[in-house]
Amino acid sequence: MNIILLGPPGAGKGTQARMLVEERGMVQLSTGDMLREAKDSGTEMGNIVADVMARGALVTDEIVIGLIKEKLETVKANGFIFDGFPRTLAQADALGDLLEAVGETLAHVVEMRVDDEALVARITARSTCGGCGEVYNDNTKPIPSDGACTNCGKKDDFKRRADDNEESLKTRLMEYYKQTSPLIGYYYAKGKLSRVDGLGAIDAVQAEIKSVLDS
Ligand code: AP5
C-alpha cells in the first residue's frame, strides 16, 4: 500500500512515517531527507540545493522528481510512504505517472491538520539524532537526560536543522499555502483524501492514520 502524508512543515509527517516504517515495514521516501543527505555529502546537487533549503524555498520539480523516480525504480517495498513529496501540482502529476510506470497505485493521501502557532512552536523546539534521524522535541519528546538516543543509543549527537528558524519557517509556510495546499483539492477530487487531526498526541495521531490505512 502506497500513501502520501501531506501537511505543512512541522505537522508531524516524519514522526508518523517513522512509526509506520517500524510497525508495518513500509519504506519512507522523504525528499527532505534525501536532499539533506546530498547536501551533507557535498555532491554537486547538494551544493545547488543547500541555499534554497536554508531559505525555506522549494527545490526545483526536476530535481525532486528525479530523486523519487530513482527510488521507485530501484527499491522494493511493502508499500511506500511519501513524506514531503509531492509538494506541487507538477510533482503530483509526475508521481501518478511514475507509480503507473512501475505498476503501483496510490491508496491514501492523509492530510495532517495543525494550526500555524503549533507549527512554529514545534519546529523551533525540534532536534534530530545524528545517528539515526530519530526526531525529538524540547517540549513534547525531550532528549533523554543521559544524552543517549532512545532509538539507536548514540550519545550526545543531536542536531538542529539549518531551516528551523522563524525566518525560514515563514517562507516554508508561505510555500506550503501557495504551492502545496492545492494538492488537498487535487487528491480530494481523485477520491484519495482523508484528514486527521495532527494536533493530538503523537500516539493519537498514529491511531487515526492507521484507521485510515485499514479502512
Ligand atoms: P522537509 O524535510 O520535507 O521539511 P518539512 O515539510 O518542512 O517538514 P518537517 O520535516 O519540518 O516537518 P514534519 O512534518 O516531518 O514534522 P516532524 O515529524 O519532524 O523539507 C525541507 C526542505 O527541503 C523544504 O523546505 C524544501 O526546501 C526541500 N524540499 C523537500 N521536499 C521537497 C519537494 N518535494 N519539492 C521541493 N522542495 C522540497 O515534527 C516536527 C516536531 O514536532 C518534532 O520536534 C516532533 O517531535 C514534534 N511533533 C510531531 N508530532 C507531534 C505531535 N502530535 N504533538 C506534539 N509534537 C509533535
Side-chain angles (χ1 to χ4, degrees), residues 78-150:
N78 179 30
F80 290 106
I81 306 163
F82 297 97
D83 161 11
F85 181 92
R87 261 175 154 96
T88 64
L89 290 166
Q91 291 177 25
D93 282 341
L95 178 60
D97 294 344
L98 290 173
L99 285 172
E100 197 181 339
V102 293
E104 293 281 344
T105 55
L106 189 61
H108 298 281
V109 177
V110 182
E111 182 201 353
M112 301 176 63
R113 293 196 149 185
V114 178
D115 67 47
D116 293 345
E117 272 177 35
L119 296 174
V120 176
R122 282 185 186 182
I123 280 195
T124 49
R126 169 170 55 188
S127 52
T128 308
C129 171
C132 67
E134 185 73 3
V135 182
Y136 292 87
N137 188 282
D138 298 345
N139 305 315
T140 55
K141 189 182 166 187
I143 293 164
S145 52
D146 64 359
C149 173
T150 50

Side-chain angles (χ1 to χ4, degrees), residues 7-16 30-33 35-36 49 52-54 56-61 64 83-88 91 112 122-123 125-127 135-138 140-141 161 163-164 169 172 197-203 205:
K13 304 180 295 294
T15 300
Q16 296 298 330
S30 158
T31 39
D33 287 348
L35 292 165
R36 276 184 289 279
V49 301
V52 177
M53 291 177 75
L58 291 190
V59 171
T60 63
D61 288 337
V64 290
D83 161 11
F85 181 92
R87 261 175 154 96
T88 64
Q91 291 177 25
M112 301 176 63
R122 282 185 186 182
I123 280 195
R126 169 170 55 188
S127 52
V135 182
Y136 292 87
N137 188 282
D138 298 345
T140 55
K141 189 182 166 187
R161 270 170 46 179
D163 57 347
D164 276 355
L169 187 53
R172 287 160 67 192
D197 176 10
L199 265 180
I202 290 173
D203 286 344
V205 179

Side-chain angles (χ1 to χ4, degrees), residues 43-65:
T43 62
E44 192 188 338
M45 189 253 284
N47 293 334
I48 293 170
V49 301
D51 173 59
V52 177
M53 291 177 75
R55 281 189 286 115
L58 291 190
V59 171
T60 63
D61 288 337
E62 192 190 0
I63 288 179
V64 290
I65 290 167

